[in-house]
Amino acid sequence: MHPSFPSTRLRRTRTHDWSRRLHRENVLAPADLIWPLFVIDGEGAEQPVASLPGVSRWSVDLLLERVGEAIELGIPCIALFPNTPADRRSDAAEEAWSPDNLTCRAVRAIRERYGDAIGIMCDVALDPYTSHGHDGLLDDSGYVANDITLDALVRQALNQAQAGADIIAPSDMMDGRVGAIRQALEEGGHANVQIMSYAAKYASAFYGPFRDAVGSGDRLKGDKRTYQLDPANSDEAMREIAMDIAEGADSVMVKPGLAYLDIIRMAHDRFDVPVFAYQVSGEFALVEAGVAAGVGDREALVMEKLLAFKRAGCAGILTYYAPFAARVLHG
Ligand code: PBG
């Protein structure tokens, strides 16, 4: 016989479940998950998001129940996204730095009820607050202008830190915002507040249901291609990540997830900070549509995709499937 005995040379370790488990290179755990949650005004209010089957917007009192569920499931962090009432949206997005905006009220309520039992992450970007649905402020020509937006983002970030946010997550893609926010946090007495930067955020077609959920989709004029990354580029994503790290980001995010696994792998191999992925709304909705169409089993499809993020090098994943996946993992 040939000395390499090739018949089942690579396959024999896969013969039994115990052996597959023994040789497994990557595992997913509830501690890898961050759960994005949508918040609305009111009390006792649950509003299903039509384009995200099984996902709802919650008023703060009911949001607290979801957060309790997350803690029980071992999910270490939630991310808050407000659906701001229409009369509080404006061209200048002032509601973003109102201490009583939905996000701040939610942060304070969570902190009061649960202390430090769970991390609270807040998005920094103006789209839930602008009348036009863009992440930044517009100049006279309608262009999303970088430098005038920075001031607004810093005020928004400080406002969230003052309310008690643990992680500030700038998702706006303005240049220089991480440095400006880091400096303001230091000077404002928030040295322990982390920054997880949406460093490689692409101008993607997969954000549609999210824009529905926060109520910015119908308002949005044009697209976000003048500030979000071109899906054709990967070297540029590395430059974005390098810049955010140099400015003080504690961790970076790649978004969307599945179509950008190569970017996650490149970032993981190249940089020394934790890399997170956002499995975005359109990715979630596509799985749900697939399940409804009989493509496959939800659990199998979801767990395979989440594991792919770990294999690509992610420290963790933002996903609307967080509670579902945590339940599966608990058995
Ligand atoms: C806002 C923001 C977006 C998402 C997270 N933060 C949408 C966008 O950039 O238009 C998308 C998340 C998702 O689709 O689940 N800046």
Side-chain angles (χ1 to χ4, degrees), residues 129-185:
Y129 306 101
T130 49
S131 38
H132 45 72
H134 276 293
D135 294 16
L137 302 175
L138 307 184
D139 67 13
D140 294 341
S141 68
Y143 175 70
V144 177
N146 199 84
D147 295 8
I148 53 169
T149 299
L150 287 189
D151 271 348
L153 298 173
V154 166
R155 296 176 79 169
Q156 179 183 21
L158 272 180
N159 187 38
Q160 293 169 345
Q162 265 145 22
D166 298 293
I167 305 181
I168 299 294
S171 76
D172 53 279
M173 289 300 280
M174 301 303 125
D175 285 349
R177 88 281 207 218
V178 171
I181 291 170
R182 186 70 261 162
Q183 190 184 344
L185 289 173

Side-chain angles (χ1 to χ4, degrees), residues 201-256:
K201 177 171 176 181
Y202 285 86
S204 170
F206 289 90
Y207 304 149
F210 172 95
R211 292 177 188 168
D212 253 12
V214 299
S216 68
D218 287 344
R219 302 164 184 278
L220 189 63
K221 291 179 198 82
D223 55 47
K224 301 191 178 183
R225 282 184 238 195
T226 64
Y227 47 106
Q228 298 180 345
L229 277 166
D230 185 331
N233 297 352
S234 51
D235 293 340
E236 191 187 0
M238 297 305 110
R239 292 198 287 278
E240 283 281 4
I241 292 171
M243 186 166 153
D244 285 3
I245 295 172
E247 289 178 24
D250 301 287
S251 53
V252 294
M253 203 193 299
V254 174
K255 177 184 169 194

Side-chain angles (χ1 to χ4, degrees), residues 264-294:
I264 296 168
R265 167 50 60 187
M266 281 175 84
H268 173 267
D269 288 350
R270 202 174 295 207
F271 299 106
D272 229 0
V273 301
V275 179
F276 289 80
Y278 199 141
Q279 182 185 52
V280 300
S281 56
E283 298 180 67
F284 175 96
L286 279 177
V287 173
E288 288 304 305
V291 170

Side-chain angles (χ1 to χ4, degrees), residues 38-41 47 57 81-85 89 102 128 212-215:
F38 298 109
V39 197
I40 45 169
D41 243 350
Q47 256 177 25
R57 310 174 186 94
F81 295 96
N83 184 307
T84 308
R89 299 184 196 225
L102 259 177
D212 253 12
V214 299

